[in-house]
Amino acid sequence: MNIYKDYLKEIEDRKVLGLHPKPIDGADLLSTIIEQIKDTNNQYRDESLNFFIYNVLPGTTSAARVKAKFLKEIILGESIVPEISTDFALEQLSHMKGGPSIDVLLDLALSNDESIAEKAAKVLKTQVFLYEADTDRLEDAFKDGSKIAKDIIESYAKAEFFTKLPELDEKIEVVTYIAGVGDISTDLLSPGGDAHSRSDRELHGQCMFEHNKDMQNELLALKEQHPDKRVMLIAEKGTMGVGSSRMSGVNNVALWTGVPFSKYVPFINFAPVIAGTNGIAPIFLTTVGVTGGIGLDLKNWVKQKDADGNTIVDKDGEPVLKQEFSVETGTVLTINTKEKKLYNGNTELKDISAAFTPQKMEFMKAGGSYAVVFGKKLQTFACKVLGIDVPQVYAPSKEVSIEGQGLTAVEKIFNKNAVGTSGATLHAGSYVRAEVNIVGSQDTTGLMTSQELEMMAATVISPIVDGAYQSGCHTASVWDDKSKANIPRLMSFMNDFGLITGRDPKGKYFPMTDVIHKVLNDITVGDWDIIIGGDSHTRMSKGVAFGADSGTVALALATGEASMPIPESVKVTFKGQMKSYMDFRDVVHATQSQMLKQFGGENVFQGRVIEVHIGTLTADEAFTFTDWTAEMKAKASICISEDDTLIESLEIAKGRIQIMIDKGMDNAKQVLKGLVEKAETRITELKTGIKPSLRPDANAKYHAEVVIDLDEIAEPMIADPDVNNDDVSKRYTHDNIRPLSFYGGTKKVDLGFVGSCMVHKGDMKILAQMLKNIEAQHGKVEFKAPLVVAPPTYNIVDELKEEGDWEVLVRYSGFEFDDNAPKGLARTKYENMLYLERPGCNLCMGNQEKAEPGDTVMATSTRLFQGRVVKDDGEKKGESLLSSTPVVVLSTILGRTPTMAEYEAAVDGIVLTKFKPSTKQLVR
């Protein structure tokens, strides 16, 4: 059977699922289709023509190269296709978003055929996805006296590719659809269990609302009732898009409610409208901007205040909310983009100017942030060639500079990395283009990132980037057919692009499934660095890191830049002393709990940078704190370190990078070697005092300051999803932090999980020592609930083996992972024993392994959202409680939550955390 008939069979298979033909990205299939188009008697000619015109992915896919070449032949008259005229062929090229199409357009524009050259030039003037090779050709032709090249470059200097686009409609009518009450996780829009299908946009769209067909049909009915309006998806009494950036989530919303980007490219929509009573989670809002969408902070439910301005609370201590206006499903509202206000009829409901900043309106006009970023670079190139100043076409970057005011840590980092500014000292609120040092791509979004890179015609990583890593951690647990099909292809693409990859496409080194955040934490060797990563937990102990969608990651890889406002910061300091039986995880949870208490239930961390004045924790432990700040809804976090502590962290990083080099993971450009050298330079600067560690200024201004009293932390703290709360908006938030005693030693625990990015080597050693303690106290170790253990990295496993702790764990386990025979199927049933799983995300990701439906899980991980780690069953809601390693371990031994007496006995003699807050002034 030939490749085309295979495609037809796939089409029939997809029809059963209610799907259209999959868009074509392969050269071989499209070449066969073109041969059938050329054969006027071919039985498949008509449908082949349709596939060629309407079903080929753009950018740098191999199919796009073949399509561009054939369109060129048609334009030059070398191939005759009656249905495709020269003008229609040029129109097709205009929708192919760079790469091969730009090559063809430049060939035509710089040719001797004036008629064709002028037409090609007209199309080129609308394009923005040009790279150095393209602009070099234009510049060379300009210098050789080409009038066409001069005309194109002058158009670019005026940014006509942007200015000639239609303006935004002044009034956008929307009809509301409440997708849920309370915080809405991106898992609702794009479930983790469907990660394998993200690059097949139409197929992935079927998982919207976690495959809830009733909700999908309600949405379709709403669209049918209001064909002239856009559907606005809402999180009522909550925040939209918590949990992760999840570009696939925004893609799904756009697919169901947005606007088609091109009639020649299927299933790529843009301009979704998304809202939340408490706004949009910061990293998800960035993703909305990538698609040129609108994200609204409705604030339609507000906290009530008494005469003294204090928040009024109910009998349970919860703030009393009042509805300011209704957005129940089916409500028709009007967004006025000129007045930047939201209306119901003629009644003004809300000022929404924050959603319509000049920069965001440019994203909306251009169809997404990529086009603006590339447009600015193209305009700058053109003006440089012409020797003229850059005309003010785009809104000037907002620069906030306050004389006499010092800088927070994040403000200092952005001032160092900013490009294209006036040179003024910039404070929070400024909108900045900044160079990026480290970029991370993870494996369940990586396929989308590779698609984004192809569609923006990028072929190689930007030389600005110090280092970039492609992980294999999210698909590490089960090496199933989906992983075997997707991951090698992803690793090959990213390796060719210039990233260090967890797997070697040529099989030269052993596959590494280490958790991406841990690897990025190690390869970040600059405390002044900016890090962008394709996961919400891109939070580092050094520098400032931002979790991002797959598109923003692609943009950072391709351009070495990211654009964003400089966030406000909240300063967190510590006083008092930790009790010996407390784990550092308890400090993390107590920080959230005490912050909410200090500010009357208001989360002052949300959307801001948490500046953590810890000072004395090395990279691994400090990462535990910064990692959790994603659950605090912070935009990012920064750890301020003493010089000696930073040196120790950098020495650890050097050693781990060297291990990667020794494994053969470095590439031809010796990126890893360069990072070791960067670390050595930074250590020298610290030791000599030439450049001390990053510190904020003493007179920096913060949105708020929080003081955490360690003396108040008297018992382990647990984040509880509170799945049965009568107020559904209070379920599945990370704000419900309870002390261990709340459960009275009686809450049944069905499964324990020690793993994910929140644990480090110390947690594994605690686990080993606890098992020895329990055996010494009771004569044996008997599990009354399963305990799944997934170390985050192979380095940790190797070090535990060297130190004898792994042997202890194996002795008590009933299963040990075998890389020579990885699991091919996800486990669905668990026995009451210890499972030593392969390094990686495991249960935390929820796309492969899950607990049994209805289980109560006690975990060290980060996610407690509905259905993430455990699904509901018919009788009981699944719940994932988050706590420290000692609590998880003891809960599985007992099959229930422990009492304080049981807990203290189990950790007796174990040093859980050596933590004393710095006594030094961590400011300049």
Side-chain angles (χ1 to χ4, degrees), residues 431-657:
Y431 192 89
V432 177
R433 279 173 56 209
E435 292 186 353
V436 174
N437 302 94
I438 300 292
V439 184
S441 171
Q442 53 100 329
D443 38 326
T444 52
T445 59
L447 288 167
M448 294 172 60
T449 299
S450 64
Q451 276 189 339
E452 300 282 354
L453 288 167
E454 286 180 322
M455 284 193 281
M456 65 175 70
T459 57
V460 66
I461 193 170
S462 168
I464 296 173
V465 176
D466 290 337
Y469 181 73
Q470 171 62 58
S471 81
C473 56
H474 287 65
T475 53
S477 181
V478 182
W479 192 234
D480 56 14
D481 290 341
K482 294 169 185 174
S483 298
K484 291 173 185 175
N486 290 332
I487 303 308
R489 178 162 52 95
L490 171 64
M491 294 293 172
S492 180
F493 179 95
M494 290 302 194
N495 200 280
D496 289 344
F497 199 82
L499 282 74
I500 304 299
T501 52
R503 288 178 177 269
D504 180 19
K506 300 178 180 63
K508 290 183 180 178
Y509 56 82
F510 188 81
M512 190 170 81
T513 58
D514 291 2
V515 174
I516 182 173
H517 332 304
K518 293 292 192 182
V519 179
L520 293 183
N521 196 44
D522 289 336
I523 69 172
T524 299
V525 291
D527 48 329
W528 292 75
D529 283 0
I530 291 179
I531 305 97
I532 297 290
D535 194 290
S536 58
H537 288 101
T538 304
R539 311 289 169 117
M540 301 299 110
S541 59
K542 303 177 288 294
V544 63
F546 299 95
D549 59 275
S550 56
T552 301
V553 170
L555 200 62
L557 288 170
T559 67
E561 292 184 7
S563 298
M564 67 185 84
I566 301 178
E568 290 182 305
S569 294
V570 175
K571 185 177 181 179
V572 179
T573 56
F574 302 84
K575 68 178 183 179
Q577 187 171 345
M578 276 188 71
K579 294 171 177 57
S580 61
Y581 54 83
M582 301 306 296
D583 186 84
F584 187 67
R585 178 71 179 249
D586 300 315
V587 176
V588 174
H589 286 175
T591 298
Q592 190 163 355
S593 178
Q594 291 188 26
M595 175 274 295
L596 290 169
K597 183 178 179 182
Q598 288 175 36
F599 290 89
E602 179 188 354
N603 185 353
V604 297
F605 291 154
Q606 183 163 341
R608 301 183 176 93
V609 173
I610 302 178
E611 191 178 278
V612 189
H613 286 240
I614 287 181
T616 55
L617 284 182
T618 53
D620 286 348
E621 292 171 308
F623 178 78
T624 300
F625 193 104
T626 58
D627 196 32
W628 184 258
T629 59
E631 269 49 71
M632 296 175 183
K633 299 182 183 177
K635 189 171 182 65
S637 58
I638 292 180
C639 274
I640 308 302
S641 288
E642 295 180 359
D643 288 357
D644 289 344
T645 303
L646 181 56
I647 290 170
E648 189 177 349
S649 293
L650 290 171
E651 291 288 0
I652 293 170
K654 271 178 54 184
R656 290 178 181 164
I657 297 170

Side-chain angles (χ1 to χ4, degrees), residues 713-768:
I713 311 173
E715 53 183 303
M717 310 290 283
I718 296 172
D720 191 323
D722 203 9
V723 299
N724 296 309
N725 194 309
D726 291 338
D727 184 346
V728 295
S729 71
K730 299 293 195 301
R731 300 175 188 172
Y732 304 106
T733 79
H734 289 79
D735 292 344
N736 187 30
I737 310 292
R738 288 170 168 164
L740 182 64
S741 59
F742 174 87
Y743 304 95
T746 61
K747 185 175 181 64
K748 185 174 182 293
V749 174
D750 301 299
L751 177 75
F753 175 52
V754 173
S756 90
C757 46
M758 285 295 288
V759 300
H760 52 84
K761 177 184 170 183
D763 291 272
M764 299 297 128
K765 294 182 79 69
I766 289 170
L767 166 59

Side-chain angles (χ1 to χ4, degrees), residues 274-391:
I274 302 174
T277 288
N278 197 22
I280 318 290
I283 54 175
F284 196 62
L285 187 57
T286 300
T287 315
V288 174
V290 169
T291 58
I294 298 172
L296 300 183
D297 186 358
L298 294 174
K299 289 188 166 60
N300 56 310
W301 290 87
V302 297
K303 294 174 184 173
Q304 297 303 287
K305 305 283 185 178
D306 61 21
D308 297 322
N310 299 314
T311 300
I312 300 172
V313 297
D314 61 19
K315 58 182 176 59
D316 298 318
E318 297 289 344
V320 175
L321 302 177
K322 177 185 177 184
Q323 187 180 54
E324 294 289 292
F325 56 91
S326 173
V327 291
E328 66 178 334
T329 294
T331 304
V332 174
L333 304 174
T334 301
I335 296 171
N336 190 304
T337 63
K338 186 175 181 180
E339 296 178 7
K340 302 180 182 180
K341 291 181 179 178
L342 183 67
Y343 287 90
N344 186 333
N346 294 320
T347 303
E348 180 185 327
L349 301 179
K350 183 87 176 60
D351 182 290
I352 51 174
S353 54
F356 289 92
T357 64
Q359 287 77 22
K360 289 180 181 179
M361 292 184 76
E362 287 174 347
F363 296 165
M364 296 170 198
K365 177 178 177 177
S369 57
Y370 299 167
V372 173
V373 172
F374 276 86
K376 288 180 178 179
K377 292 188 75 170
L378 194 53
Q379 185 189 26
T380 301
F381 149 78
C383 292
K384 183 178 179 182
V385 170
L386 297 172
I388 62 173
D389 292 335
V390 179

